[in-house]
Amino acid sequence: MSRYRRLAKDTVLIGIGSFSSKLLTFLCVPLYTALLTTGQYGLADIITTTSLLVFQVLTLTICEGLLRYCLEDDSDKAGIFTVSIIITFAGFFILAAIAPFANNIEAIAECYPLFMVYYIGYAIYATVSYFARGIEAIAAYSFCGVLNTVLTVALNILFLVVFDLGLAGYISAYAISFTLSAAVLFIVVKGWRYLRPCSIKGALVKELISYSAPMIPNSISWWISNSAGLYSVVLFCGISESGIYSAAQKIPAIIYALCGIFMTAWRISAVKGFGSIESKNFYAHILQGLIAFASTLTAGLILFVQPIASIMYASDFQEAWRYVPLLTIAVYFHSMDEFLGSVYTSAMKTRMLFFSAVIGAAVNVSLCCVLVPLYGIDGAAISALASYVLIYVVRDVHTAKFFAFPRCRREQVCCSVLLIISALSMAHLGLVGVLVSFSVLLAVAFLNRKAFGLVLNVVSSRLPNQLNTKRKAKR
Protein backbone atom coordinates (compact mmCIF):
# COMPACT_ATOMS: atom_id res chain seq x y z
CA MET A 1 0.00 0.00 0.00
CA SER A 2 1.45 3.39 -1.03
CA ARG A 3 2.04 6.10 1.56
CA TYR A 4 -0.68 8.23 -0.02
CA ARG A 5 -3.15 5.37 0.03
CA ARG A 6 -2.33 4.57 3.64
CA LEU A 7 -2.73 8.21 4.66
CA ALA A 8 -6.11 8.40 2.91
CA LYS A 9 -7.27 5.21 4.60
CA ASP A 10 -6.17 6.38 8.05
CA THR A 11 -7.85 9.76 7.50
CA VAL A 12 -11.16 8.10 6.63
CA LEU A 13 -11.00 5.73 9.60
CA ILE A 14 -10.06 8.47 12.05
CA GLY A 15 -12.69 10.73 10.50
CA ILE A 16 -15.39 8.17 11.21
CA GLY A 17 -14.55 8.18 14.90
CA SER A 18 -13.69 11.86 15.33
CA PHE A 19 -16.30 13.51 13.14
CA SER A 20 -19.16 11.44 14.56
CA SER A 21 -18.08 12.56 18.02
CA LYS A 22 -18.00 16.23 17.05
CA LEU A 23 -21.32 15.99 15.20
CA LEU A 24 -23.23 14.24 17.98
CA THR A 25 -21.73 16.50 20.63
CA PHE A 26 -22.87 19.52 18.61
CA LEU A 27 -26.37 18.06 18.27
CA CYS A 28 -26.54 17.53 22.05
CA VAL A 29 -25.95 21.22 22.83
CA PRO A 30 -29.72 21.97 22.96
CA LEU A 31 -30.10 19.12 25.46
CA TYR A 32 -27.35 20.47 27.70
CA THR A 33 -28.58 24.06 27.59
CA ALA A 34 -32.15 22.96 28.33
CA LEU A 35 -31.33 20.78 31.33
CA LEU A 36 -28.35 22.65 32.83
CA THR A 37 -28.37 26.18 34.19
CA THR A 38 -25.97 28.69 32.67
CA GLY A 39 -23.87 28.44 35.82
CA GLN A 40 -23.72 24.64 35.64
CA TYR A 41 -22.87 24.65 31.95
CA GLY A 42 -20.18 27.27 32.48
CA LEU A 43 -18.68 25.29 35.37
CA ALA A 44 -18.73 22.11 33.27
CA ASP A 45 -16.77 23.90 30.56
CA ILE A 46 -14.22 25.09 33.12
CA ILE A 47 -13.80 21.55 34.47
CA THR A 48 -13.29 19.97 31.06
CA THR A 49 -11.01 22.72 29.76
CA THR A 50 -8.90 22.74 32.91
CA SER A 51 -8.58 18.95 32.76
CA LEU A 52 -7.00 19.15 29.31
CA LEU A 53 -4.39 21.63 30.51
CA VAL A 54 -3.64 19.76 33.76
CA PHE A 55 -3.32 16.50 31.83
CA GLN A 56 -0.49 17.93 29.73
CA VAL A 57 1.36 19.15 32.84
CA LEU A 58 0.95 16.14 35.15
CA THR A 59 1.79 13.59 32.45
CA LEU A 60 4.70 15.63 31.05
CA THR A 61 2.86 15.37 27.69
CA ILE A 62 4.08 11.76 27.67
CA CYS A 63 1.42 10.82 25.12
CA GLU A 64 3.37 12.73 22.50
CA GLY A 65 6.42 10.57 23.16
CA LEU A 66 4.23 7.46 23.34
CA LEU A 67 2.88 8.10 19.85
CA ARG A 68 6.17 9.19 18.30
CA TYR A 69 8.34 6.37 19.60
CA CYS A 70 5.78 3.61 19.08
CA LEU A 71 5.68 4.53 15.39
CA GLU A 72 9.33 3.45 15.11
CA ASP A 73 9.48 -0.08 13.68
CA ASP A 74 12.16 -1.33 16.07
CA SER A 75 10.99 0.49 19.21
CA ASP A 76 10.34 -1.15 22.59
CA LYS A 77 6.57 -0.69 22.48
CA ALA A 78 6.01 -2.58 25.73
CA GLY A 79 8.47 -0.40 27.62
CA ILE A 80 7.08 2.79 26.10
CA PHE A 81 3.47 1.91 26.95
CA THR A 82 4.37 0.79 30.47
CA VAL A 83 6.25 4.01 31.22
CA SER A 84 3.35 6.07 29.85
CA ILE A 85 0.80 4.22 31.99
CA ILE A 86 2.92 4.65 35.12
CA ILE A 87 3.33 8.39 34.53
CA THR A 88 -0.39 8.76 33.82
CA PHE A 89 -1.35 6.98 37.04
CA ALA A 90 1.23 9.01 38.98
CA GLY A 91 -0.85 12.04 38.02
CA PHE A 92 -3.88 10.49 39.75
CA PHE A 93 -1.93 10.18 43.01
CA ILE A 94 -0.78 13.79 42.75
CA LEU A 95 -4.38 14.96 42.36
CA ALA A 96 -5.43 12.79 45.31
CA ALA A 97 -2.64 14.30 47.42
CA ILE A 98 -3.81 17.79 46.53
CA ALA A 99 -7.45 16.99 47.40
CA PRO A 100 -7.24 17.90 51.15
CA PHE A 101 -5.83 21.32 50.26
CA ALA A 102 -8.41 21.83 47.51
CA ASN A 103 -11.23 21.03 49.93
CA ASN A 104 -10.13 23.95 52.13
CA ILE A 105 -10.59 26.42 49.26
CA GLU A 106 -14.25 27.32 49.10
CA ALA A 107 -14.21 28.33 45.42
CA ILE A 108 -13.11 24.89 44.19
CA ALA A 109 -14.05 22.51 47.01
CA GLU A 110 -17.41 21.52 45.49
CA CYS A 111 -16.18 20.93 41.94
CA TYR A 112 -12.83 19.28 42.72
CA PRO A 113 -14.29 15.74 43.05
CA LEU A 114 -16.02 16.16 39.69
CA PHE A 115 -12.79 17.46 38.22
CA MET A 116 -10.92 14.37 39.45
CA VAL A 117 -13.56 12.00 38.09
CA TYR A 118 -13.46 13.61 34.67
CA TYR A 119 -9.67 13.85 34.66
CA ILE A 120 -9.14 10.18 35.49
CA GLY A 121 -11.52 9.00 32.76
CA TYR A 122 -10.03 11.34 30.16
CA ALA A 123 -6.41 10.54 31.06
CA ILE A 124 -6.91 6.78 30.76
CA TYR A 125 -8.73 7.13 27.44
CA ALA A 126 -6.14 9.52 26.02
CA THR A 127 -3.20 7.29 26.95
CA VAL A 128 -4.71 4.11 25.53
CA SER A 129 -5.94 5.84 22.37
CA TYR A 130 -2.51 7.39 21.69
CA PHE A 131 -0.99 3.94 22.09
CA ALA A 132 -3.51 2.45 19.64
CA ARG A 133 -2.50 5.05 17.08
CA GLY A 134 1.16 4.41 17.85
CA ILE A 135 0.88 0.72 16.99
CA GLU A 136 -1.28 1.73 14.01
CA ALA A 137 -4.46 0.02 15.22
CA ILE A 138 -6.45 2.73 13.47
CA ALA A 139 -9.62 0.70 12.91
CA ALA A 140 -9.82 -0.12 16.63
CA TYR A 141 -9.13 3.52 17.52
CA SER A 142 -11.89 4.69 15.19
CA PHE A 143 -14.39 2.11 16.48
CA CYS A 144 -13.78 3.14 20.09
CA GLY A 145 -14.16 6.79 19.10
CA VAL A 146 -17.67 5.99 17.86
CA LEU A 147 -18.34 3.86 20.96
CA ASN A 148 -17.25 6.73 23.21
CA THR A 149 -19.65 9.08 21.43
CA VAL A 150 -22.60 6.69 21.68
CA LEU A 151 -21.93 6.04 25.37
CA THR A 152 -21.58 9.75 26.11
CA VAL A 153 -24.90 10.62 24.48
CA ALA A 154 -26.74 7.65 26.03
CA LEU A 155 -25.39 8.32 29.54
CA ASN A 156 -26.14 12.03 29.28
CA ILE A 157 -29.75 11.26 28.40
CA LEU A 158 -29.91 8.77 31.28
CA PHE A 159 -28.30 11.01 33.89
CA LEU A 160 -29.79 14.35 32.81
CA VAL A 161 -33.25 13.43 31.50
CA VAL A 162 -34.15 10.34 33.54
CA PHE A 163 -32.34 10.92 36.83
CA ASP A 164 -31.99 14.73 36.65
CA LEU A 165 -28.47 14.70 38.13
CA GLY A 166 -27.47 18.07 36.68
CA LEU A 167 -23.77 18.93 36.59
CA ALA A 168 -22.73 15.72 38.35
CA GLY A 169 -24.61 13.68 35.75
CA TYR A 170 -23.01 15.58 32.88
CA ILE A 171 -19.45 15.07 34.15
CA SER A 172 -20.10 11.47 35.19
CA ALA A 173 -21.46 10.62 31.74
CA TYR A 174 -18.22 11.75 30.12
CA ALA A 175 -16.01 10.09 32.75
CA ILE A 176 -17.78 6.72 32.47
CA SER A 177 -17.84 6.77 28.67
CA PHE A 178 -14.10 7.58 28.59
CA THR A 179 -13.30 4.76 31.00
CA LEU A 180 -15.45 2.11 29.30
CA SER A 181 -14.16 3.06 25.83
CA ALA A 182 -10.58 2.89 27.08
CA ALA A 183 -11.25 -0.56 28.57
CA VAL A 184 -12.68 -1.84 25.28
CA LEU A 185 -9.80 -0.37 23.29
CA PHE A 186 -7.28 -1.89 25.73
CA ILE A 187 -8.86 -5.32 25.19
CA VAL A 188 -9.06 -4.96 21.41
CA VAL A 189 -5.37 -4.02 21.03
CA LYS A 190 -4.39 -6.62 23.69
CA GLY A 191 -2.82 -3.96 25.82
CA TRP A 192 -1.94 -6.37 28.63
CA ARG A 193 0.78 -7.79 26.39
CA TYR A 194 2.59 -4.46 26.54
CA LEU A 195 2.49 -3.97 30.32
CA ARG A 196 5.90 -5.09 31.60
CA PRO A 197 6.98 -3.01 34.61
CA CYS A 198 9.99 -5.21 35.31
CA SER A 199 11.50 -4.57 31.87
CA ILE A 200 11.61 -0.77 32.11
CA LYS A 201 15.03 0.71 31.38
CA GLY A 202 16.21 4.01 32.80
CA ALA A 203 17.58 5.07 29.42
CA LEU A 204 14.14 4.65 27.84
CA VAL A 205 12.44 6.69 30.58
CA LYS A 206 15.01 9.46 30.16
CA GLU A 207 14.63 9.44 26.37
CA LEU A 208 10.83 9.60 26.52
CA ILE A 209 10.75 12.41 29.06
CA SER A 210 13.49 14.34 27.22
CA TYR A 211 11.31 14.24 24.11
CA SER A 212 7.95 14.94 25.77
CA ALA A 213 8.69 17.37 28.60
CA PRO A 214 9.74 20.30 26.36
CA MET A 215 6.23 20.15 24.90
CA ILE A 216 4.64 21.22 28.20
CA PRO A 217 5.43 24.93 27.65
CA ASN A 218 4.35 24.46 24.05
CA SER A 219 0.95 23.16 25.17
CA ILE A 220 0.57 25.97 27.70
CA SER A 221 1.57 28.52 25.06
CA TRP A 222 -1.04 27.18 22.65
CA TRP A 223 -3.64 27.33 25.40
CA ILE A 224 -2.73 30.96 26.12
CA SER A 225 -2.72 31.83 22.43
CA ASN A 226 -6.11 30.23 21.86
CA SER A 227 -7.64 31.85 24.95
CA ALA A 228 -6.09 35.34 24.81
CA GLY A 229 -8.79 36.76 22.54
CA LEU A 230 -11.65 35.53 24.71
CA TYR A 231 -10.20 36.78 27.99
CA SER A 232 -9.20 40.14 26.51
CA VAL A 233 -12.74 40.64 25.16
CA VAL A 234 -14.13 39.84 28.63
CA LEU A 235 -11.68 42.27 30.23
CA PHE A 236 -12.09 45.20 27.85
CA CYS A 237 -15.56 44.73 26.33
CA GLY A 238 -17.63 42.81 28.86
CA ILE A 239 -19.29 39.41 29.25
CA SER A 240 -21.95 39.95 26.59
CA GLU A 241 -19.36 40.73 23.93
CA SER A 242 -17.39 37.65 24.91
CA GLY A 243 -20.50 35.62 24.13
CA ILE A 244 -20.54 37.12 20.63
CA TYR A 245 -16.85 36.30 20.23
CA SER A 246 -17.39 32.71 21.39
CA ALA A 247 -20.24 32.29 18.92
CA ALA A 248 -18.08 33.70 16.13
CA GLN A 249 -15.52 30.95 16.77
CA LYS A 250 -18.00 28.14 16.10
CA ILE A 251 -17.98 28.39 12.29
CA PRO A 252 -14.17 28.51 11.93
CA ALA A 253 -14.07 25.42 14.15
CA ILE A 254 -15.36 23.48 11.12
CA ILE A 255 -11.99 23.99 9.41
CA TYR A 256 -10.06 23.02 12.52
CA ALA A 257 -12.16 19.89 12.99
CA LEU A 258 -11.66 18.69 9.41
CA CYS A 259 -7.96 19.56 9.31
CA GLY A 260 -7.56 18.06 12.78
CA ILE A 261 -8.85 14.70 11.54
CA PHE A 262 -6.29 14.77 8.72
CA MET A 263 -3.47 15.88 11.04
CA THR A 264 -4.18 12.96 13.39
CA ALA A 265 -3.69 10.55 10.49
CA TRP A 266 -0.79 12.57 9.07
CA ARG A 267 1.29 12.32 12.24
CA ILE A 268 1.37 8.55 11.76
CA SER A 269 2.51 8.74 8.12
CA ALA A 270 4.88 11.68 8.71
CA VAL A 271 7.29 9.61 10.78
CA LYS A 272 7.86 6.84 8.23
CA GLY A 273 11.22 7.23 6.50
CA PHE A 274 11.62 10.79 7.78
CA GLY A 275 14.63 12.56 6.28
CA SER A 276 14.80 10.58 3.05
CA ILE A 277 14.35 12.11 -0.40
CA GLU A 278 11.10 10.20 -0.74
CA SER A 279 9.80 11.64 2.53
CA LYS A 280 10.67 15.18 1.39
CA ASN A 281 8.62 14.69 -1.76
CA PHE A 282 5.84 13.20 0.36
CA TYR A 283 5.83 16.23 2.69
CA ALA A 284 5.83 18.60 -0.30
CA HIS A 285 2.84 16.89 -1.93
CA ILE A 286 0.88 16.76 1.34
CA LEU A 287 1.56 20.42 2.10
CA GLN A 288 0.46 21.35 -1.41
CA GLY A 289 -2.75 19.36 -0.96
CA LEU A 290 -3.39 20.76 2.52
CA ILE A 291 -3.00 24.35 1.30
CA ALA A 292 -5.38 23.62 -1.58
CA PHE A 293 -8.02 21.96 0.59
CA ALA A 294 -7.84 24.32 3.58
CA SER A 295 -7.65 27.55 1.57
CA THR A 296 -10.56 26.54 -0.68
CA LEU A 297 -12.63 25.50 2.34
CA THR A 298 -11.77 28.80 4.05
CA ALA A 299 -12.80 30.79 0.97
CA GLY A 300 -16.05 28.81 0.79
CA LEU A 301 -16.90 29.42 4.46
CA ILE A 302 -16.24 33.14 4.08
CA LEU A 303 -18.55 33.27 1.06
CA PHE A 304 -21.39 31.39 2.79
CA VAL A 305 -20.86 32.81 6.28
CA GLN A 306 -24.18 34.66 6.43
CA PRO A 307 -26.49 31.74 5.58
CA ILE A 308 -24.50 29.45 7.88
CA ALA A 309 -24.72 32.01 10.68
CA SER A 310 -28.48 32.39 10.21
CA ILE A 311 -28.84 28.66 10.92
CA MET A 312 -26.33 28.37 13.79
CA TYR A 313 -26.90 31.61 15.69
CA ALA A 314 -29.93 32.82 17.58
CA SER A 315 -31.13 36.39 16.94
CA ASP A 316 -29.07 37.82 19.80
CA PHE A 317 -25.89 36.43 18.24
CA GLN A 318 -26.45 37.32 14.58
CA GLU A 319 -23.84 40.08 14.59
CA ALA A 320 -21.19 37.44 15.30
CA TRP A 321 -20.97 36.57 11.60
CA ARG A 322 -19.02 39.78 10.89
CA TYR A 323 -16.07 38.50 12.91
CA VAL A 324 -16.10 35.01 11.40
CA PRO A 325 -14.11 35.74 8.19
CA LEU A 326 -10.92 36.90 9.93
CA LEU A 327 -11.21 34.19 12.57
CA THR A 328 -11.62 31.63 9.78
CA ILE A 329 -8.31 32.70 8.22
CA ALA A 330 -6.70 32.55 11.67
CA VAL A 331 -7.85 28.94 12.06
CA TYR A 332 -6.56 28.19 8.55
CA PHE A 333 -3.07 29.30 9.60
CA HIS A 334 -3.43 27.45 12.90
CA SER A 335 -3.83 24.26 10.86
CA MET A 336 -0.81 25.14 8.74
CA ASP A 337 1.17 25.71 11.96
CA GLU A 338 0.35 22.21 13.13
CA PHE A 339 1.52 20.71 9.84
CA LEU A 340 4.94 22.36 10.21
CA GLY A 341 4.88 21.31 13.86
CA SER A 342 4.82 17.70 12.65
CA VAL A 343 8.26 18.29 11.11
CA TYR A 344 9.63 19.00 14.59
CA THR A 345 7.99 15.98 16.19
CA SER A 346 9.10 13.68 13.36
CA ALA A 347 12.65 15.01 13.60
CA MET A 348 12.49 14.87 17.42
CA LYS A 349 13.40 18.57 17.65
CA THR A 350 10.70 19.74 20.07
CA ARG A 351 12.50 22.72 21.60
CA MET A 352 11.85 24.99 18.62
CA LEU A 353 8.25 23.78 18.67
CA PHE A 354 7.98 25.36 22.11
CA PHE A 355 9.91 28.51 21.16
CA SER A 356 7.70 29.29 18.16
CA ALA A 357 4.53 28.72 20.20
CA VAL A 358 5.79 31.06 22.94
CA ILE A 359 6.49 33.76 20.35
CA GLY A 360 2.98 33.41 18.98
CA ALA A 361 1.39 33.51 22.44
CA ALA A 362 3.38 36.61 23.43
CA VAL A 363 2.45 38.44 20.24
CA ASN A 364 -1.21 37.47 20.60
CA VAL A 365 -1.44 38.70 24.19
CA SER A 366 0.45 41.91 23.40
CA LEU A 367 -1.69 42.73 20.37
CA CYS A 368 -4.89 41.95 22.29
CA CYS A 369 -3.93 44.44 24.99
CA VAL A 370 -3.49 47.13 22.33
CA LEU A 371 -6.12 46.30 19.69
CA VAL A 372 -9.10 45.02 21.70
CA PRO A 373 -9.57 48.30 23.65
CA LEU A 374 -9.47 50.13 20.30
CA TYR A 375 -11.37 47.82 17.96
CA GLY A 376 -13.20 45.38 20.21
CA ILE A 377 -13.79 41.89 18.82
CA ASP A 378 -12.14 42.84 15.53
CA GLY A 379 -8.97 43.51 17.52
CA ALA A 380 -9.08 40.02 19.02
CA ALA A 381 -9.54 38.45 15.58
CA ILE A 382 -6.65 40.47 14.12
CA SER A 383 -4.42 39.49 17.05
CA ALA A 384 -5.16 35.79 16.61
CA LEU A 385 -4.52 35.95 12.87
CA ALA A 386 -1.24 37.84 13.29
CA SER A 387 0.08 35.41 15.90
CA TYR A 388 -0.70 32.30 13.83
CA VAL A 389 0.84 33.85 10.70
CA LEU A 390 3.99 34.66 12.69
CA ILE A 391 4.22 31.10 14.01
CA TYR A 392 3.90 29.79 10.47
CA VAL A 393 6.67 32.06 9.16
CA VAL A 394 9.03 31.17 12.03
CA ARG A 395 8.47 27.44 11.61
CA ASP A 396 8.65 27.61 7.82
CA VAL A 397 12.03 29.36 7.88
CA HIS A 398 13.51 27.24 10.66
CA THR A 399 12.38 23.79 9.48
CA ALA A 400 13.79 24.53 6.02
CA LYS A 401 17.27 24.57 7.60
CA PHE A 402 17.22 20.90 8.60
CA PHE A 403 14.46 19.43 6.40
CA ALA A 404 14.30 21.16 3.03
CA PHE A 405 11.36 20.37 0.79
CA PRO A 406 9.32 22.51 -1.64
CA ARG A 407 7.10 24.79 0.48
CA CYS A 408 4.59 26.10 -2.10
CA ARG A 409 5.28 29.61 -0.79
CA ARG A 410 3.96 31.38 -3.89
CA GLU A 411 0.62 29.58 -3.64
CA GLN A 412 0.52 30.19 0.11
CA VAL A 413 1.14 33.94 -0.20
CA CYS A 414 -1.33 34.37 -3.08
CA CYS A 415 -4.05 32.40 -1.30
CA SER A 416 -3.47 34.29 1.96
CA VAL A 417 -3.75 37.71 0.29
CA LEU A 418 -6.90 36.67 -1.55
CA LEU A 419 -8.48 35.29 1.62
CA ILE A 420 -7.81 38.53 3.53
CA ILE A 421 -9.35 40.54 0.67
CA SER A 422 -12.38 38.25 0.76
CA ALA A 423 -12.73 38.53 4.55
CA LEU A 424 -12.56 42.32 4.64
CA SER A 425 -14.91 42.64 1.66
CA MET A 426 -17.49 40.28 3.12
CA ALA A 427 -17.49 42.03 6.49
CA HIS A 428 -17.71 45.61 5.20
CA LEU A 429 -18.95 45.82 1.58
CA GLY A 430 -22.35 44.13 1.66
CA LEU A 431 -23.45 42.69 -1.71
CA VAL A 432 -20.20 43.81 -3.33
CA GLY A 433 -18.38 41.79 -0.69
CA VAL A 434 -20.35 38.69 -1.70
CA LEU A 435 -19.29 39.15 -5.33
CA VAL A 436 -15.68 39.69 -4.31
CA SER A 437 -15.71 36.59 -2.09
CA PHE A 438 -17.20 34.51 -4.90
CA SER A 439 -14.42 35.68 -7.22
CA VAL A 440 -11.83 34.85 -4.58
CA LEU A 441 -13.22 31.34 -4.19
CA LEU A 442 -12.84 30.77 -7.94
CA ALA A 443 -9.35 32.28 -7.93
CA VAL A 444 -8.20 30.14 -4.99
CA ALA A 445 -9.54 27.00 -6.63
CA PHE A 446 -7.75 27.93 -9.88
CA LEU A 447 -4.45 28.60 -8.10
CA ASN A 448 -4.61 25.17 -6.51
CA ARG A 449 -5.69 23.28 -9.62
CA LYS A 450 -2.40 21.35 -9.77
CA ALA A 451 -2.82 20.12 -6.20
CA PHE A 452 -6.38 18.98 -6.88
CA GLY A 453 -5.13 17.29 -10.06
CA LEU A 454 -2.47 15.47 -8.03
CA VAL A 455 -5.11 14.12 -5.66
CA LEU A 456 -7.27 12.97 -8.57
CA ASN A 457 -4.28 11.25 -10.17
CA VAL A 458 -3.51 9.34 -6.97
CA VAL A 459 -7.12 8.19 -6.72
CA SER A 460 -7.56 7.38 -10.42
CA SER A 461 -4.28 5.46 -10.61
CA ARG A 462 -5.66 3.03 -8.05
CA LEU A 463 -9.10 2.72 -9.56
CA PRO A 464 -8.17 0.50 -12.57
CA ASN A 465 -6.25 -1.89 -10.30
CA GLN A 466 -9.24 -2.17 -8.00
CA LEU A 467 -11.58 -2.87 -10.92
CA ASN A 468 -9.26 -5.53 -12.31
CA THR A 469 -8.99 -7.16 -8.90
CA LYS A 470 -12.77 -7.33 -8.61
CA ARG A 471 -13.13 -8.81 -12.11
CA LYS A 472 -10.57 -11.51 -11.39
CA ALA A 473 -12.34 -12.31 -8.14
CA LYS A 474 -15.65 -12.78 -9.99
CA ARG A 475 -14.01 -15.15 -12.48
Side-chain angles (χ1 to χ4, degrees):
M1 183 182 294
S2 72
R3 300 179 72 176
Y4 299 95
R5 188 75 175 172
R6 183 58 181 268
L7 177 58
K9 179 183 176 182
D10 288 348
T11 301
V12 171
L13 289 174
I14 292 171
I16 292 172
S18 299
F19 193 71
S20 63
S21 174
K22 291 176 174 59
L23 179 62
L24 285 178
T25 301
F26 176 78
L27 294 176
C28 282
V29 170
L31 173 68
Y32 301 148
T33 54
L35 299 177
L36 296 174
T37 65
T38 54
Q40 288 176 326
Y41 195 56
L43 186 56
D45 193 38
I46 292 173
I47 290 172
T48 55
T49 303
T50 305
S51 295
L52 300 182
L53 182 62
V54 172
F55 174 72
Q56 301 296 332
V57 176
L58 290 186
T59 64
L60 307 176
T61 63
I62 198 65
C63 284
E64 297 294 337
L66 169 64
L67 174 62
R68 176 62 182 85
Y69 281 88
C70 278
L71 287 171
E72 296 286 344
D73 294 331
D74 57 348
S75 62
D76 179 11
K77 294 177 175 56
I80 294 168
F81 184 52
T82 303
V83 171
S84 301
I85 287 291
I86 290 174
I87 291 177
T88 299
F89 274 78
F92 302 160
F93 291 108
I94 293 173
L95 289 180
I98 295 174
F101 301 97
N103 290 333
N104 292 326
I105 303 175
E106 184 177 352
I108 63 175
E110 293 184 8
C111 63
Y112 193 78
L114 293 177
F115 165 77
M116 282 195 62
V117 167
Y118 182 90
Y119 177 89
I120 291 172
Y122 173 79
I124 294 173
Y125 180 75
T127 304
V128 177
S129 62
Y130 266 79
F131 176 67
R133 286 161 51 194
I135 61 174
E136 300 185 56
I138 304 302
Y141 167 80
S142 177
F143 166 75
C144 286
V146 175
L147 174 64
N148 180 52
T149 301
V150 173
L151 287 173
T152 300
V153 174
L155 290 173
N156 265 301
I157 293 174
L158 179 65
F159 293 158
L160 295 180
V161 178
V162 179
F163 296 120
D164 192 22
L165 296 179
L167 176 62
Y170 176 88
I171 295 298
S172 299
Y174 275 94
I176 294 172
S177 63
F178 279 138
T179 305
L180 292 178
S181 299
V184 171
L185 185 55
F186 183 82
I187 293 171
V188 171
V189 301
K190 300 178 181 179
W192 62 87
R193 288 176 157 183
Y194 300 91
L195 289 178
R196 301 174 187 171
C198 297
S199 64
I200 296 177
K201 299 178 181 179
L204 176 62
V205 177
K206 182 179 179 180
E207 188 175 4
L208 276 174
I209 293 178
S210 296
Y211 174 85
S212 300
M215 293 189 182
I216 297 175
N218 176 65
S219 299
I220 295 174
S221 297
W222 273 122
W223 184 83
I224 293 173
S225 189
N226 294 335
S227 306
L230 178 62
Y231 285 106
S232 61
V233 170
V234 172
L235 179 63
F236 295 112
C237 305
I239 293 295
S240 60
E241 288 297 296
S242 71
I244 299 295
Y245 183 77
S246 297
Q249 293 179 306
K250 301 302 181 184
I251 295 177
I254 297 172
I255 294 176
Y256 192 71
L258 294 175
C259 290
I261 291 169
F262 171 78
M263 288 306 302
T264 301
W266 165 246
R267 291 183 65 189
I268 297 172
S269 298
V271 175
K272 304 298 183 182
F274 181 82
S276 65
I277 295 176
E278 181 187 358
S279 71
K280 291 179 180 179
N281 292 330
F282 187 47
Y283 267 76
H285 291 156
I286 297 304
L287 176 59
Q288 186 180 16
L290 182 60
I291 290 173
F293 170 78
S295 61
T296 304
L297 178 60
T298 300
L301 281 179
I302 292 174
L303 175 61
F304 294 105
V305 61
Q306 292 190 61
I308 295 174
S310 65
I311 296 173
M312 289 188 63
Y313 301 150
S315 57
D316 292 341
F317 293 88
Q318 279 302 306
E319 69 173 283
W321 78 264
R322 296 185 180 278
Y323 311 108
V324 170
L326 282 179
L327 288 172
T328 303
I329 303 175
V331 171
Y332 162 73
F333 271 100
H334 190 4
S335 301
M336 295 294 108
D337 294 343
E338 292 200 348
F339 175 85
L340 291 180
S342 69
V343 178
Y344 291 114
T345 54
S346 297
M348 299 186 183
K349 297 179 181 291
T350 54
R351 290 186 178 180
M352 190 61 187
L353 190 71
F354 150 66
F355 181 69
S356 57
V358 168
I359 292 175
V363 169
N364 198 346
V365 172
S366 300
L367 288 177
C368 280
C369 292
V370 175
L371 297 180
V372 173
L374 296 175
Y375 304 108
I377 296 177
D378 278 322
I382 294 170
S383 301
L385 175 57
S387 66
Y388 292 138
V389 170
L390 179 61
I391 292 172
Y392 182 84
V393 172
V394 170
R395 291 183 176 180
D396 183 36
V397 172
H398 183 258
T399 55
K401 295 179 180 179
F402 64 89
F403 188 60
F405 64 91
R407 302 302 176 108
C408 308
R409 286 173 176 144
R410 183 179 63 179
E411 290 85 350
Q412 181 70 282
V413 171
C414 291
C415 288
S416 300
V417 171
L418 287 171
L419 290 175
I420 291 174
I421 291 173
S422 177
L424 296 176
S425 300
M426 179 60 72
H428 301 288
L429 297 181
L431 181 59
V432 174
V434 175
L435 297 175
V436 171
S437 295
F438 178 72
S439 301
V440 166
L441 175 60
L442 295 179
V444 168
F446 179 78
L447 281 172
N448 292 296
R449 64 192 184 282
K450 291 183 179 180
F452 291 126
L454 177 65
V455 174
L456 290 175
N457 286 335
V458 172
V459 175
S460 62
S461 65
R462 289 287 172 179
L463 186 58
N465 294 333
Q466 292 176 353
L467 293 175
N468 291 333
T469 302
K470 290 180 180 179
R471 288 170 183 170
K472 290 178 180 180
K474 289 180 179 179
R475 292 175 184 174

